Amino acid sequence: MTLRSKPIISGCLFLAVLSVKAQVGIGTQTPSSALDLEEANTTEVDLGINNTSTGDPVFHFQLSGTTTFSLGVDNSDADKLKMGTTDVGTSTFVTIDSNGDLGVGDDDPAYKVEVNGDANLSNSTDVLRIGAAHALSKPNTKNIYVGRSAGAQNNAAGTDNSYLGYQAGYSSTSGDYNVAVGNEASYTNTGGIGNVALGYQAGYSSAATHYSVRIGSQSGYGSVEGNSLYLDNSSTSNPLIYGDFSQDDLTVNGGLVVNEQSGTFDFRVESDNKTHILYTDATNDYVMIGSNNNVTNRQIQVNSTGASAGMLLARHSDDADGSVLGHAKSRGSEGTPSVVVDDDVISPIKFVGYDGIDFNHTSATIEAKVNGTPGSNDMPTELRFQTVPDGSNTQQIRMVIEEDGAVGINQTSPTTRLRVDDASAVVGTFNRTTDDGTIIDLQYNGVSEGNISVSGSTVSYNPFTGGHYGYSEKSFEYGKVVILNGENKNLHGNKKSEIFYGIDYSQTPNDKRVLGVYSNLLESEKPFSLDNPHQVLALGNGFMWVTNEGGNIKIGDYLITSSTQGMAMKENGDYPVSYVCARSAQKVNWHKIKADENGVKKALVHVLYESFEVENGVRESINNIEKEIKELKKLVAQKYQM
């Protein structure tokens, strides 16, 4: 039985004090706790704690007289409501300021909720919602999804997945060990394992691919290639960067810039056998292949110790074009080039050997050099070959190919198609080392007209025609016979050079002044000069104009001059001494040849050029002796028959 005290009524306060249980009821006669406050007010029930001074209105919660928690207003800190342990002002762990900001472990929050320390959200499925949206889900102990509908259809079979973004990992029903960040990233990657997707729709609808990385908006969209890397901002099947992890291959489908900030950062690529199969020296602007050893101070260097050291350029195409190794030169600058000038070296190819000290001396060079005045679509260029003689480190020009195609060997300014010079040695050697045959083939317009050949130790000039230089201001006809007139000159006007014999047409029978048969000017397209003489054939074989003054001509008949200008005739022994100039190599029957408009019968015949005298008296004596011998033979024959 509970003993009650007499109620005390004072104004609107009705206080009942239980004497035995120490229960205090305010607004009730039957308090149910140590302090029971009740009010039948339709608006609110108030319990006011008012500090009328500068202190803190605080509730202290004690156990056995010791304060364990405190709840109250910190008057000294902007009247914030605080919860602490022993005291709200010094051991605060929850704070609410006048703006309604809540701080956990932070007594000066700047946001509606601010936590300074660890937070654990342990709801079994939806840990956090914003309105009706799933902001943070944890369907089981190994998955975590952040974003509306992130991982919405991932069933309990999928583990160790992390999805961040609207519908990230959506419908990835049984995938494991996946990470997807971005709106619809890895959407419907059904059953995919070990994938990483970063970006809007990265890895979207990529089926059941495994162990792939997709970075970028729609990167790897619809891809069915597993164990691969896609880096792009599109759904292309040829992304900017593609990697095949199974083959350790990386493909860049675009430009690649290394060290764009122009820092002194070197770039290096290794191979199985080389630590510097490709190396860029950012300080010196060198690119090296094979090692990082600077040998020649050139921007591109290839170094190797193997037998395969070298560089190959190859072109594989269904056309006639090959690979190109290009060289270019301009004046001005790279952005605004200007035309090169005469003697500018377009490009040298230099060869360097180590001399025991360094690589500082070039041992040979092939260089292209401007030779003339360049202009629009006009670039006259010569090619030079240089070597270094023994005992020297200075290069000498050994061969030049001029801009007009003239080639000079040991001559820097050739004036002919081929010029070979040497001061004190054999100028040239032509050596046929095995069977007999042609050593030099002489052609005209692509057709062989003669040669120099060898048969054993015998050299033949085939066919052979020797000649002389002739001097005259006149013009002559090919094949006509010319004679000496005594007005001689010299080649180039130099008395030590080859003689020019003054010449005229022959027009006297059996003229002993015969020089030979006219051929042409040395250079037929140029006028006669002391540098361009007439040529007169006098030895070997060729052509000659003949007339009928001496009668029909048989093969082997001697020929002498006739009274017809520039023509020869058959020698008939009519002169005590005949001055033979040729021997006919074909017969002529004048009955079959018509006379020209002047009544002259003439023919251009093959001859063998010769020059000798025939004493016809001696010949007649010889002929008589031959007749007598024949008669004696007849007598002897008749005698023995008797």
Side-chain angles (χ1 to χ4, degrees):
M1 179 177 178
T2 302
L3 298 178
R4 300 181 183 274
S5 64
K6 184 177 180 179
I8 301 174
I9 300 175
S10 176
C12 64
L13 176 65
F14 179 81
L15 177 65
V17 180
L18 297 179
S19 61
V20 176
K21 292 185 176 181
Q23 292 177 325
V24 176
I26 301 177
T28 179
Q29 296 183 17
T30 58
S32 59
S33 58
L35 176 61
D36 189 353
L37 175 64
E38 297 184 11
E39 175 65 49
N41 192 310
T42 60
T43 303
E44 61 183 12
V45 178
D46 295 335
L47 175 62
I49 302 176
N50 182 20
N51 189 322
T52 60
S53 182
T54 59
D56 299 331
V58 180
F59 282 108
H60 292 284
F61 301 91
Q62 298 181 341
L63 290 174
S64 301
T66 301
T67 299
T68 303
F69 291 98
S70 299
L71 175 64
V73 176
D74 187 349
N75 186 33
S76 63
D77 188 13
D79 296 334
K80 296 175 182 177
L81 177 63
K82 297 183 178 181
M83 179 182 292
T85 53
T86 58
D87 184 75
V88 295
T90 57
S91 55
T92 304
F93 55 84
V94 177
T95 300
I96 301 175
D97 63 13
S98 60
N99 296 320
D101 296 337
L102 171 64
V104 179
D106 189 332
D107 59 1
D108 190 20
Y111 303 94
K112 290 304 177 186
V113 177
E114 185 169 327
V115 179
N116 183 8
D118 298 332
N120 182 25
L121 303 177
S122 59
N123 186 285
S124 62
T125 302
D126 286 335
V127 178
L128 178 63
R129 290 194 179 198
I130 300 176
H134 301 269
L136 177 61
S137 301
K138 187 178 72 64
N140 56 44
T141 57
K142 293 187 177 181
N143 295 315
I144 187 166
Y145 310 145
V146 179
R148 182 177 178 180
S149 299
Q153 296 186 25
N154 194 304
N155 61 26
T159 64
D160 298 282
N161 298 293
S162 299
Y163 300 141
L164 174 61
Y166 170 72
Q167 290 189 338
Y170 187 97
S171 192
S172 297
T173 54
S174 59
D176 301 326
Y177 313 109
N178 297 296
V179 176
V181 179
N183 190 334
E184 295 182 336
S186 201
Y187 189 105
T188 65
N189 184 9
T190 307
I193 299 174
N195 298 293
V196 176
L198 176 61
Y200 168 69
Q201 290 188 337
Y204 187 102
S205 189
S206 54
T209 57
H210 307 312
Y211 309 109
S212 296
V213 178
R214 320 291 195 216
I215 302 176
S217 176
Q218 294 189 324
S219 177
Y221 189 110
S223 170
V224 296
E225 298 181 27
N227 206 21
S228 60
L229 166 68
Y230 278 72
L231 178 59
D232 207 306
N233 275 332
S234 70
S235 60
T236 177
S237 59
N238 295 307
L240 176 64
I241 295 179
Y242 173 77
D244 185 342
F245 294 119
S246 64
Q247 300 295 325
D248 289 334
D249 286 342
L250 182 67
T251 301
V252 179
N253 295 308
L256 177 64
V257 178
V258 178
N259 192 17
E260 186 177 22
Q261 300 302 317
S262 302
T264 55
F265 303 109
D266 298 336
F267 176 75
R268 179 171 60 88
V269 177
E270 292 191 10
S271 68
D272 290 344
N273 301 314
K274 294 282 188 181
T275 59
H276 295 76
I277 192 64
L278 176 63
Y279 177 75
T280 63
D281 185 336
T283 301
N284 298 303
D285 296 332
Y286 296 154
V287 176
M288 303 179 187
I289 300 174
S291 78
N292 63 336
N293 182 29
N294 175 32
V295 175
T296 60
N297 291 321
R298 300 296 179 187
Q299 282 191 293
I300 297 179
Q301 302 178 35
V302 180
N303 297 285
S304 178
T305 59
S308 61
M311 182 171 61
L312 171 68
L313 301 178
R315 176 171 179 168
H316 309 282
S317 58
D318 293 329
D319 53 40
D321 297 327
S323 58
V324 176
L325 177 63
H327 301 270
K329 157 71 177 174
S330 75
R331 293 204 168 211
S333 64
E334 181 179 355
T336 55
S338 60
V339 66
V340 294
V341 300
D342 190 22
D343 288 332
D344 278 1
V345 176
I346 293 179
S347 175
I349 301 175
K350 294 185 176 293
F351 303 86
V352 181
Y354 186 70
D355 61 5
I357 300 175
D358 51 36
F359 291 92
N360 291 341
H361 299 293
T362 301
S363 54
T365 299
I366 302 173
E367 68 179 19
K369 186 173 76 71
V370 178
N371 188 356
T373 302
S376 178
N377 298 319
D378 179 16
M379 188 56 61
T381 305
E382 68 178 30
L383 197 62
R384 295 191 169 204
F385 298 80
Q386 305 178 54
T387 63
V388 175
D390 188 20
S392 173
N393 60 17
T394 301
Q395 294 186 93
Q396 296 183 17
I397 299 174
R398 303 302 190 184
M399 184 171 122
V400 172
I401 303 176
E402 294 272 62
E403 76 287 346
D404 60 357
V407 178
I409 299 177
N410 218 25
Q411 166 58 243
T412 60
S413 299
T415 56
T416 58
R417 278 291 173 261
L418 175 63
R419 176 171 173 176
V420 183
D421 289 6
D422 198 286
S424 58
V426 176
V427 175
T429 299
F430 299 88
N431 181 20
R432 183 158 181 152
T433 59
T434 54
D435 57 327
D436 296 341
T438 300
I439 294 180
I440 298 176
D441 184 42
L442 305 174
Q443 298 185 357
Y444 177 77
N445 199 25
V447 178
S448 179
E449 299 291 352
N451 61 73
I452 300 175
S453 64
V454 62
S455 177
S457 60
T458 301
V459 177
S460 299
Y461 303 87
N462 311 300
F464 173 73
T465 303
H468 302 290
Y469 285 157
Y471 171 76
S472 177
E473 300 292 341
K474 302 177 183 178
S475 297
F476 295 88
E477 184 181 347
Y478 177 78
K480 291 293 185 71
V481 180
V482 296
I483 61 171
L484 300 165
N485 65 14
E487 297 178 4
N488 301 332
K489 301 289 183 181
N490 294 90
L491 183 65
H492 312 307
N494 183 355
K495 292 184 178 181
K496 293 184 179 180
S497 294
E498 183 69 23
I499 191 172
F500 283 10
Y501 294 105
I503 58 173
D504 282 315
Y505 276 131
S506 67
Q507 53 188 2
T508 301
N510 194 32
D511 197 331
K512 66 179 180 180
R513 297 174 299 170
V514 172
L515 179 63
V517 174
Y518 186 80
S519 174
N520 54 15
L521 287 166
L522 183 62
E523 290 292 336
S524 60
E525 298 300 318
K526 298 178 181 180
F528 169 80
S529 69
L530 294 181
D531 299 312
N532 189 35
H534 297 289
Q535 294 186 101
V536 179
L537 308 180
L539 189 63
N541 61 288
F543 292 92
M544 179 179 286
W545 282 102
V546 294
T547 186
N548 62 341
E549 290 182 29
N552 290 334
I553 300 174
K554 295 182 293 185
I555 295 175
D557 281 348
Y558 295 145
L559 302 176
I560 59 176
T561 60
S562 70
S563 61
T564 304
Q565 180 177 284
M567 295 190 184
M569 65 180 179
K570 176 184 176 181
E571 190 275 326
N572 288 318
D574 296 336
Y575 301 95
V577 177
S578 296
Y579 301 102
V580 176
C581 58
R583 188 156 46 97
S584 180
Q586 69 181 78
K587 63 182 180 179
V588 180
N589 186 347
W590 296 111
H591 296 291
K592 297 181 179 181
I593 296 177
K594 294 182 179 181
D596 63 12
E597 64 276 8
N598 297 318
V600 177
K601 288 187 176 183
K602 59 184 179 180
L604 185 64
V605 299
H606 293 276
V607 299
L608 301 174
Y609 301 120
E610 299 181 4
S611 180
F612 59 87
E613 299 177 0
V614 175
E615 295 185 4
N616 291 318
V618 174
R619 184 170 62 177
E620 183 177 356
S621 298
I622 294 173
N623 289 337
N624 291 334
I625 293 172
E626 290 177 346
K627 290 179 180 179
E628 291 177 358
I629 292 173
K630 289 180 180 179
E631 293 295 329
L632 288 172
K633 287 181 178 179
K634 289 180 180 179
L635 292 174
V636 172
Q638 292 175 358
K639 180 179 180 180
Y640 283 109
Q641 288 178 357
M642 296 174 57

